[in-house]
Amino acid sequence: DLELEKLPGVEALQRGGREGQTLMINNSGTVELYKFSGGSWQKIGVVQDAYDKDKHELDGQKYDHVIDVDAAEGQGPLKLGCNKDDDPWVVAQEFINKHMLPQAYLTEISEYIMKNTGIGVKEVPLNSEFCDPYTGAGRYVP
């Protein structure tokens, strides 16, 4: 991950460079890529997804979603982090292991993750006609 605040500003373009050298610049919060060519810096373009604006941090890691889970009575909500590509069942199991929760919570926590983040929920198109898995036809022909 790029740390935006550690990148040089546009003033770095005033210095010279080596032919073919590239340099990333923080230009008012946008990361731009430059290449030194023909004695000057030439802008190549803007670096996409250089930093995670929409990510949330939890325990030093970045996640697409961080949600509160009320798992144990008498305690405040516990934070659970997950990403768009994560399997909600695996995330729930890791959460149970980390917080030493009863295994019986697995289904409830994984369903809570799917409901509140949308991960793991796949829309399957419903087809009213039967389709044979071997032939692809509408009916089985021996």
Side-chain angles (χ1 to χ4, degrees):
D1 289 341
L2 285 176
E3 294 184 36
L4 190 61
E5 57 279 349
K6 290 188 178 180
L7 292 175
V10 290
E11 66 278 355
L13 299 174
Q14 303 305 316
R15 298 185 298 254
R18 298 182 318 273
E19 189 68 26
Q21 179 184 356
T22 58
L23 182 63
M24 285 191 283
I25 298 292
N26 177 358
N27 187 1
S28 302
T30 301
V31 180
E32 298 176 341
L33 182 64
Y34 287 83
K35 183 175 183 177
F36 196 79
S37 178
S40 66
W41 290 102
Q42 307 295 319
K43 183 177 176 181
I44 295 175
V46 176
V47 178
Q48 299 295 318
D49 296 326
Y51 48 97
D52 303 318
K53 291 185 226 173
D54 298 329
K55 296 271 186 174
H56 308 279
E57 193 165 328
L58 176 66
D59 299 330
Q61 290 190 309
K62 294 194 180 205
Y63 296 99
D64 294 321
H65 306 279
V66 173
I67 57 176
D68 290 328
V69 178
D70 288 319
E73 262 190 59
Q75 292 183 353
L78 301 170
K79 299 280 187 192
L80 182 148
C82 56
N83 291 309
K84 293 181 267 190
D85 298 329
D86 288 345
D87 182 329
W89 294 91
V90 172
V91 172
Q93 184 62 59
E94 291 170 351
F95 182 77
I96 286 170
N97 294 345
K98 177 180 177 181
H99 296 286
M100 295 182 284
L101 299 171
Q103 189 63 36
Y105 289 1
L106 179 64
T107 300
E108 187 176 349
I109 292 172
S110 59
E111 288 174 354
Y112 183 79
I113 293 168
M114 288 185 273
K115 177 183 164 207
N116 289 287
T117 65
I119 66 169
V121 178
K122 306 270 191 267
E123 290 196 25
V124 178
L126 297 176
N127 187 351
S128 61
E129 293 182 27
F130 172 77
C131 181
D132 180 75
Y134 297 108
T135 65
R139 64 184 180 91
Y140 177 73
V141 179

